[in-house]
Amino acid sequence: MNKQDLRIVYLGTPDFAVESLKRLVEGGYHVVGVVTMPDKPFGRHQNHLKPSPVKEYALSVGLPVLQPAKLKDEGFLAELRALKADLQVVVAFRMLPEVVWAMPRYGTFNLHAALLPQYRGAAPINWAIINGETETGITTFFLTKEIDTGDIIDQVRVPISPSDDFGTVHDRLMHLGGDLVIQTVDKLLDGTLQSRPQSDYITSQPLKPAPKIYRETCRIDWQQPAVNIHNLVRGLSPVPAAWTMMSTDKGDEMVKIYRTSVSADKACGPAGAVLSDGKTMLTVATGDGSLNIEELQVAGKKRMPIADFLRGFKVSDTLQMH
């Protein structure tokens, strides 16, 4: 089959989904429409509407855009049917009802930022790093009724280095994901596409979930081991960012922490206690050692390296993280 004969509808919303759509469009594949989330209110008074990154790109290349509030709405379903898609490609969208994913004759495949069946859920990149994994990957699979459980088409394994954080792994998987989407579509076109049930990929290793990240997920518990806190910071940096409360002689302030390193020294006191030279070093005691804070942001101020922070901050005996 020629790539121009395969009518594709693309479903996605954030920056992560733009790369795969861009690869399809620039590769000459026949994308007949795009489905994305409704525009979101933003601004101080929430009186402006911001389109999704996928919508912005789709409009820039002249693609029709559908933005349903409800995916079972009959008006939306009629518009979707009118596009006469042979295949739907989903990247970072939302859970689809069967009436949507079963519509095309070749079905609907999804790009997931993990090595399924591990890390099913909304935040696979974050949780892989938070859990201290040294490897992750991307998967294309067919959608079925249960979220992230469909037959696997293809996977690419990707190492996670000790210096990686959510931002670096996100960008790496985003670009490799574009490659894998094209590879998957090409296999469909040339008749070589095959898939296998996820049960074939299950080993003795327990399956780890990847639930949505909430504000309390991001709060640092200084009673935890230093390496666990370090991985939490990595897995949430730069967004949404791990946070803690900092007690000073002026009261409590919220602090976001973006970069840390595990100290070779023993704990400098009870969990949350702070040790600093007032110049370039700020170390916090944890449940089993100490953690060096290397980059942070105090509420209402810009993100900065610890040396810049300490130049404008007087360390006192009352300083503590909690």
Side-chain angles (χ1 to χ4, degrees):
M1 184 190 305
N2 187 286
K3 64 173 66 174
Q4 281 298 316
D5 296 330
L6 184 72
R7 298 174 64 86
I8 299 172
V9 166
Y10 188 89
L11 301 92
T13 296
D15 286 323
F16 188 88
V18 174
E19 180 66 21
S20 293
L21 176 58
K22 185 177 180 182
R23 292 288 304 276
L24 287 167
V25 171
E26 294 183 354
Y29 297 83
H30 193 187
V31 180
V32 295
V34 170
V35 182
T36 191
M37 293 287 284
D39 297 357
K40 285 190 173 182
F42 80 104
R44 183 176 180 181
H45 302 292
Q46 298 286 286
N47 55 354
H48 298 283
L49 291 176
K50 184 176 179 60
S52 72
V54 162
K55 179 182 178 179
E56 289 182 329
Y57 175 76
L59 293 179
S60 75
V61 293
L63 293 175
V65 176
L66 304 181
Q67 295 180 271
K70 296 181 179 179
L71 294 173
K72 292 184 179 180
D73 178 78
E74 285 301 327
F76 162 66
L77 293 175
E79 289 181 295
L80 190 60
R81 289 189 191 98
L83 293 174
K84 298 179 180 178
D86 299 307
L87 174 72
Q88 290 176 157
V89 178
V90 182
V91 181
F93 190 52
R94 56 203 266 202
M95 188 172 178
L96 299 180
E98 184 173 358
V99 67
V100 173
W101 57 256
M103 194 178 292
R105 59 173 175 151
Y106 292 120
T108 300
F109 79 79
N110 186 90
L111 176 73
H112 188 74
L115 295 172
L116 291 174
Q118 291 290 352
Y119 293 105
R120 294 168 174 158
I125 302 174
N126 303 94
W127 284 108
I129 301 172
I130 290 170
N131 288 338
E133 304 287 1
T134 58
E135 183 181 60
T136 185
I138 45 175
T139 302
T140 50
F141 69 99
F142 284 114
L143 291 190
T144 55
K145 290 182 180 179
E146 300 298 324
I147 189 167
D148 296 339
T149 60
D151 290 357
I152 289 173
I153 303 167
D154 218 338
Q155 292 186 321
V156 175
R157 308 183 84 86
V158 178
I160 301 175
S161 76
S163 61
D164 274 326
D165 60 18
F166 168 75
T168 59
V169 176
H170 170 281
D171 290 354
R172 194 176 305 139
L173 296 185
M174 177 177 68
H175 292 289
L176 290 172
D179 294 339
L180 191 58
V181 164
I182 295 300
Q183 178 179 311
T184 301
V185 174
D186 284 348
K187 286 184 176 181
L188 176 62
L189 290 171
D190 65 21
T192 61
L193 187 147
Q194 296 181 332
S195 62
R196 293 167 54 195
Q198 290 195 26
S199 58
D200 288 357
Y201 294 79
I202 293 176
T203 65
S204 58
Q205 184 180 8
L207 295 182
K208 299 174 185 177
K212 185 176 179 179
I213 300 289
Y214 293 97
R215 186 173 186 273
E216 281 305 307
T217 312
C218 305
R219 184 165 190 174
I220 295 171
D221 176 4
W222 294 103
Q223 298 285 348
Q224 290 289 314
V227 68
N228 289 11
I229 300 173
H230 175 61
N231 287 335
L232 179 72
V233 170
R234 292 169 61 219
L236 300 172
S237 181
V239 289
W243 64 277
T244 187
M245 296 304 296
M246 181 174 70
S247 295
T248 70
D249 51 8
K250 296 180 181 180
D252 286 355
E253 291 188 88
M254 178 181 161
V255 178
K256 291 183 177 181
I257 298 179
Y258 295 96
R259 191 158 47 89
T260 59
S261 60
V262 177
S263 172
D265 298 329
K266 295 181 179 180
C268 53
V274 175
L275 178 67
S276 177
D277 63 0
K279 297 178 180 179
T280 61
M281 182 269 288
L282 186 74
T283 299
V284 185
T286 70
D288 74 342
S290 297
L291 195 69
N292 299 318
I293 309 300
E294 298 181 350
E295 194 169 3
L296 52 66
Q297 181 179 18
V298 178
K301 298 184 180 180
K302 67 179 183 178
R303 175 177 170 177
M304 63 186 77
I306 196 64
D308 291 352
F309 168 74
L310 290 173
R311 270 196 289 271
F313 181 86
K314 186 176 180 180
V315 177
S316 68
D317 293 338
T318 61
L319 183 62
Q320 186 175 13
M321 302 293 185
H322 62 89

